[in-house]
Amino acid sequence: MSAIIRNHTRAETPEAEPFVYQKRVRLILGILLRQDRALDMAYLVERLHRSQIFQLPVPQAPLYEWLQRYAMLHPKTAVRLSKMCPKQDFTLHHSVIDWMRFPDISSAALDGFVWREVVKNRGARLLRRSSLTYQERSQSRLSPEFVQKMHVFAILYARETRFNCLGRYNRIWRLYKVLKLHQAAIHPVFAKIMTLTGVILPLLEGRLVSYHRAYFLIELEHRLQPDLALNVRAQMERLAVTSARLLSQKSHVVPGALKITEHFFEVPLQHGKPGAPTLRLFARSAHKHTVPLDSASSSNGQAHIPWLLYLQGGPGFECRSPQSYPFTKSFLDKGYGVIFLDQRGTGLSSPITAATLKQQGNVEDQARYLSHFRADNIVRDAEAVRLALVEGWPEEKKKWSLIGQSFGGFCAVTYLSMFPSSLREAFIAGGLPPMHEKGPDGVYRRLVKQVVKRNEDYYGKYPEDVERVKQIVRHIQQRNMDGEQAVAPSGGVVLSERRFLQMGIALGFHGGIDGVHDTVLRASSEIDSLGLITRATASTICTSGGGYDTNPLYCILHEPLYCQGHPSRWSASRTVHGTPEFSLEDALNDPGRPVYFTGEMVFPWMLEDYSELQEMALAAENMANKMDWPHLYDVHALQQNEVPVYAAIYTEDMYVDCNTALETARNIRNCKYYLTNRIYHDGLRSRMDNVVETLWKLRTDVID
């Protein structure tokens, strides 16, 4: 049709055969009117105007009606046409601004026409154009039935697009803003969309979209209906996680009257995504082992003993056997059954190593795989395990308790954000996260001061180690230059001075200063007497630096665990390089200045110095530059928290900043905490009785 118009308007002029030309214009307009070709009609009008024959006797009443409808859906083109048409002959410019005021267009006709455009254009054009036009009007003539149709369309459009890109999120959001102009009329329908029968949750029920893609819309809805959005979010999380599949479990009795059960579960790599690959999870549970006096009097069914989940520190470390933890017996005596879960990627839970990561494909595939091993998915795994363990239990007994140490405390706060209704209580020891931080930069700026302080404490206690440390560093540098240094037992990686300085990670533990001194004394003595550092001492140095070869996730995920929408980009390295106290060259050249050890930090050079990390270097770099990390904490939900939380905060903590932990504790409703300067970060292990009993007093005692 456009070709016909172009041919007719170019082949002939009105001066040559005006009657024939007018007749053909009427014919074309009639065809266009019958076929609902508003766009071609507008094109014809434009050509007529340029030919200076706009005053021809054409059927103007229906033309205006159609052009008004065209202006509604094509406002930018309509503005261009209105500027070309004289106001006394064509009032299209009024249609652009006041298209809903025209008396000759009924509400039913308008609804019908717009709805046909919705169906024809699959909504993409309508969402883009209606948002421009509707928002110019504070009052609308749209019927309630049409508004409801728009809601139905939103659901259909969301199903069709499956939230595949941010642009489609924005289209749906623009539609919501349009409907917001009709708040009084559409509020019940709007609320319905934000519930289980609306746009997002039906997608989850049908497993058409993973929950975190729908999360974006919920975040935006916080501004409009925060309480409703939070309720929907909680239901979204529940729909995304289903019970883990129990593969096997075997029980054994170990010394100490403990019954240890070994569980294997299967969970999806991405919860809520249909057809996702699966992971194998491993957990050990501990109960008291009792032998009844009369076997006939033993219960036929096992009592529903409340569960306590231990969340291991890390990231990237597995759990030891329950009898290895000093607090196990304490909690068993209090009436719990304790379960120790190897977090995904660690221990026997689909462990990540250089060899297993290669199986995932190219570097991008490997990085994408690694991105699913943070606290949010660890928590979803735990929730899936809980559902499996309490299957068939009475509803009131299905909740469990948490105890989190260090990174395990971070996971506990994520659990409080995502599944609060699954929790009875939470105990946190040295692990309240910086939930307001978007990345690790602010974290390391605060923690580096504590690392400096612990170095000062170390050299204050052992001033003779100032020269010993410099001697060791110079020796390592010289032997490496000569190519004679004994290799560390980690697979052929040369012991470097920067690996030696990583021993400072132990300075924040009970006995850590003394342990570092012992290793320094041993290495210095060997250099004096033997002229070298023995392999045994090199082994001690390498293994005390953090275990990055045996637990590579500890390096790869250490900084991303802080990220919420921002990349890490080797934050600790940038912070240390900007801190003059850690300048190795300046310290070696200044006789009175000590060489400072680094703390719990990861650096890009580790991808060269650790053999296991060498093979994962490209994927690790990809992770360090990843920007689209999802949020881990729901601040609004935590401020409304109903789950009792009991936390231990250590003022001398070198790994979790005390002031940040206090801020987090004050932002979690129902959180009781105690502050102490007598316990370091590993208090749950080294000062178990003190920490556990104090947390228990917070649970059982009251303040008048």
Side-chain angles (χ1 to χ4, degrees), residues 311-328:
L311 293 167
Q312 170 71 33
F317 288 93
E318 66 276 13
C319 290
R320 305 189 304 276
S321 186
Q323 61 267 34
S324 302
Y325 292 91
F327 60 80
T328 300

Side-chain angles (χ1 to χ4, degrees), residues 400-404 412 416 423-428 643-647:
W400 65 2
S401 304
L402 305 177
I403 179 167
L416 288 165
L423 302 178
R424 180 181 293 104
E425 62 206 347
F427 302 94
I428 298 174
V643 180
V645 180
Y646 313 104

Side-chain angles (χ1 to χ4, degrees), residues 222-485:
H222 262 295
R223 292 179 296 171
L224 299 181
Q225 300 197 38
D227 294 335
L228 183 59
L230 287 174
N231 179 51
V232 172
R233 172 175 300 186
Q235 297 180 68
M236 283 171 54
E237 299 291 356
R238 291 206 164 278
L239 285 171
V241 175
T242 57
S243 175
R245 188 163 75 94
L246 180 61
L247 300 177
S248 67
Q249 59 182 13
K250 300 288 185 180
S251 297
H252 310 278
V253 178
V254 301
L258 294 180
K259 179 182 178 182
I260 307 298
T261 304
E262 298 166 347
H263 312 263
F264 282 97
F265 302 94
E266 186 179 80
V267 296
L269 174 67
Q270 293 176 265
H271 290 270
K273 182 176 181 180
T278 59
L279 298 175
R280 184 184 176 107
L281 296 183
F282 175 72
R284 295 184 183 94
S285 62
H287 289 89
K288 281 187 174 182
H289 174 65
T290 58
V291 179
L293 295 177
D294 182 3
S295 59
S297 64
S298 61
S299 175
N300 293 328
Q302 185 177 359
H304 301 305
I305 298 175
W307 284 109
L308 173 72
L309 170 68
Y310 174 65
L311 293 167
Q312 170 71 33
F317 288 93
E318 66 276 13
C319 290
R320 305 189 304 276
S321 186
Q323 61 267 34
S324 302
Y325 292 91
F327 60 80
T328 300
K329 187 176 185 302
S330 177
F331 280 107
L332 291 180
D333 291 340
K334 291 174 171 54
Y336 295 95
V338 187
I339 185 164
F340 298 80
L341 175 67
D342 281 358
Q343 297 164 6
R344 55 168 55 193
T346 71
L348 300 181
S349 293
S350 300
I352 288 182
T353 65
T356 59
L357 190 61
K358 285 181 181 178
Q359 299 173 359
Q360 302 305 319
N362 58 32
V363 173
E364 289 73 19
D365 293 334
Q366 293 174 16
R368 192 179 303 111
Y369 182 75
L370 289 170
S371 67
H372 298 300
F373 286 77
R374 293 202 312 161
D376 47 357
N377 282 308
I378 291 172
V379 166
R380 293 181 190 107
D381 288 345
E383 177 65 8
V385 169
R386 183 193 69 86
L387 293 173
L389 291 175
V390 301
E391 186 176 357
W393 287 26
E395 196 64 34
E396 67 276 7
K397 295 186 177 182
K398 288 186 176 182
K399 294 184 179 182
W400 65 2
S401 304
L402 305 177
I403 179 167
Q405 154 72 16
S406 188
F407 171 69
F410 289 26
C411 294
V413 177
T414 302
Y415 212 132
L416 288 165
S417 299
M418 296 171 62
F419 302 103
S421 61
S422 300
L423 302 178
R424 180 181 293 104
E425 62 206 347
F427 302 94
I428 298 174
L432 286 173
M435 62 184 187
H436 293 286
E437 295 285 349
K438 302 302 181 184
D441 287 3
V443 174
Y444 284 114
R445 282 195 296 268
R446 291 186 290 271
L447 288 179
V448 75
K449 299 176 183 178
Q450 194 66 22
V451 177
V452 169
K453 180 179 181 302
R454 292 301 290 167
N455 273 277
E456 294 171 349
D457 293 342
Y458 168 69
Y459 287 117
K461 184 173 183 178
Y462 298 104
E464 64 274 18
D465 282 1
V466 172
E467 288 304 319
R468 287 173 176 163
V469 170
K470 290 184 178 181
Q471 177 195 26
I472 295 169
V473 170
R474 291 191 181 103
H475 172 81
I476 293 174
Q477 289 178 334
Q478 184 61 44
R479 295 301 292 267
N480 284 342
M481 290 176 61
D482 298 339
E484 300 176 0
Q485 174 62 45

Side-chain angles (χ1 to χ4, degrees), residues 522-555:
R522 180 177 173 179
S524 177
S525 177
E526 290 175 350
I527 293 171
D528 290 337
S529 60
L530 304 174
L532 54 83
I533 298 175
T534 64
R535 194 173 191 87
T537 302
S539 175
T540 301
I541 292 172
C542 290
T543 55
S544 63
Y548 299 104
D549 273 325
T550 55
N551 300 84
L553 284 183
Y554 189 39
C555 172

Side-chain angles (χ1 to χ4, degrees), residues 454 502-513 516 544 598 654-655:
R454 292 301 290 167
Q502 280 193 306
M503 287 200 308
I505 193 174
L507 293 176
F509 295 147
H510 285 278
I513 286 178
V516 171
S544 63
T598 55
M654 199 180 79
Y655 312 88

Side-chain angles (χ1 to χ4, degrees), residues 444-456 459 473 497-498 501-502 504-505 507 572-588 593-601 603 605 654:
Y444 284 114
R445 282 195 296 268
R446 291 186 290 271
L447 288 179
V448 75
K449 299 176 183 178
Q450 194 66 22
V451 177
V452 169
K453 180 179 181 302
R454 292 301 290 167
N455 273 277
E456 294 171 349
Y459 287 117
V473 170
E497 68 274 13
R498 50 197 184 187
L501 294 177
Q502 280 193 306
I505 193 174
L507 293 176
S573 179
R574 291 185 281 106
T575 304
V576 167
H577 288 158
T579 307
E581 288 88 346
F582 291 94
S583 174
L584 179 59
E585 183 179 355
D586 292 347
L588 292 176
R593 180 174 172 178
V595 173
Y596 276 14
F597 293 91
T598 55
E600 189 184 35
M601 304 168 180
F603 303 92
W605 56 258
M654 199 180 79

